[in-house]
Each structure stands twice: as C-alpha cells, then as structure tokens.
Amino acid sequence: MASSSSYNPPCAACKFLRRKCIPGCVFSPYFPPEEPQKFANVHKIFGASNVAKLLNELLPHQRDDAVNSLAYEAEARVRDPVYGCIGAITFLQRQVDRLQKELDAANADLIRFACNDVPLQAAQPRPPQEAAGVRNVGFGGGGGGRLYQTGGVQISYDVPWNDIYNSHGGGMDGNN
C-alpha cells in the first residue's frame, strides 16, 4: 500500500509531547524538528499550554520574536535557575564597566605619552596643595593649558580647545 503524501516529521513540540503534529500546529513554525532542546527548555520553564496560549494571543508577525525571547529566557533559566537572563545581563554589564576602565586607563596613557613629545614651555612650580595629575592652569592672557607632573618633571602645554573655553571665564575644573 503506497502513500500519496510525503512524510513530514512532527515539530519538536509535538514530538516531545508525543502527539500527532497537525497541519495548523501553532508550534511547528517556531520549533523545528532539528531543535528539540529548544522546546524542551521552553516546556520545562513555561509549560506547553502556556506557550500555546501566548502564541495564539499574539499577532502572527510577533510570534517569532516571542518564541526567541522565551527560548532565550528558558535556556538562561536552565543554566542559572535563580537569576536567569538577569545573571547574564549583570555579568555583561560588569564586563562593560571593566572594559570602560581599561579604555580610560589606555586613554590616560596615550595623553601621558603625547605630553612627553610636546616641547617644554614655561614650566611653573606647582603649589603643594594641588593633587598630582592633570590640572587646568592659566598661562598669561587668560588662555588655558595643562600641567602634568611626570617623574618629578613638570610639563605644561597649551590646549587649543581649552583656550576658547577658558577665555570666556569657564574652566573644566571650575578653578578659572
């Protein structure tokens, strides 16, 4: 006895639930048979009936994004039952903060190395109350500049974009 129709394997949801996959199955477009673990995780965390209700309430063009979100959260919950995807977000936020600090340190090194290439100008003695590092100082006609102290040597130079700002009575550190 030959069959006139071709065999379509059941979707991952119907295979997992051990039921026949009908042509209008709400799960079949989103849980292909090649990805059984995707549905297993979603079923374990949310339940098949809840997912079916959710998909039926959504518009067809919203379902794909919803399933992807459910699958991501379910996988995160399987890995970390307490925090789920919030744990992953927190980890990534800490990594961004750490990388931002590294970037700030690298930019500070670049500025320090760039200052070593600038010829010395009117280096003035530094008042003892100033902290070490970069500080806006006025040089003559209201222009701004930077004073660096590296290894006991004071290096000063004019910063063109700072001259305009300081000539209007402002200062980056509020001292002018």
Side-chain angles (χ1 to χ4, degrees):
M1 182 154 126
S3 171
S4 63
S5 65
S6 63
Y7 173 74
N8 289 330
C11 67
C14 291
K15 187 173 183 179
F16 184 86
L17 299 172
R18 296 181 180 170
R19 65 182 190 188
K20 184 176 179 175
C21 192
I22 59 175
C25 177
V26 71
F27 296 120
S28 64
Y30 312 108
F31 298 103
E34 302 85 39
E35 299 176 15
Q37 194 60 43
K38 181 178 177 181
F39 181 77
N41 291 341
V42 170
H43 174 65
K44 181 178 181 179
I45 302 300
F46 299 106
S49 62
N50 290 332
V51 175
K53 287 177 194 175
L54 177 76
L55 291 176
N56 285 325
E57 289 175 4
L58 292 174
L59 298 173
H61 71 277
Q62 297 173 324
R63 291 176 183 173
D64 192 42
D65 290 335
V67 168
N68 288 335
S69 295
L70 290 171
Y72 183 81
E73 177 64 27
E75 186 178 334
R77 286 278 171 191
V78 167
R79 277 195 244 136
D80 185 357
V82 175
Y83 293 107
C85 66
I86 298 299
I89 291 169
T90 303
F91 171 78
L92 292 173
Q93 185 61 47
R94 287 182 184 153
Q95 189 175 13
V96 166
D97 292 342
R98 182 181 52 81
L99 291 172
Q100 184 63 47
K101 288 177 184 176
E102 287 180 25
L103 181 61
D104 292 342
N107 284 333
D109 287 343
L110 285 172
I111 289 172
R112 190 177 72 244
F113 292 135
C115 290
N116 290 336
D117 294 337
V118 176
L120 291 176
Q121 294 180 359
Q124 301 171 355
R126 193 171 206 185
Q129 68 269 17
E130 287 185 13
V134 180
R135 179 162 163 72
N136 283 343
V137 294
F139 291 118
R146 300 271 184 193
L147 181 64
Y148 284 85
Q149 184 169 5
T150 57
V153 177
Q154 293 179 348
I155 302 171
S156 62
Y157 66 97
D158 290 327
V159 182
W161 61 86
N162 203 17
D163 290 342
I164 296 168
Y165 184 64
N166 282 332
S167 66
H168 297 298
M172 293 293 284
D173 62 354
N175 291 329
N176 292 341

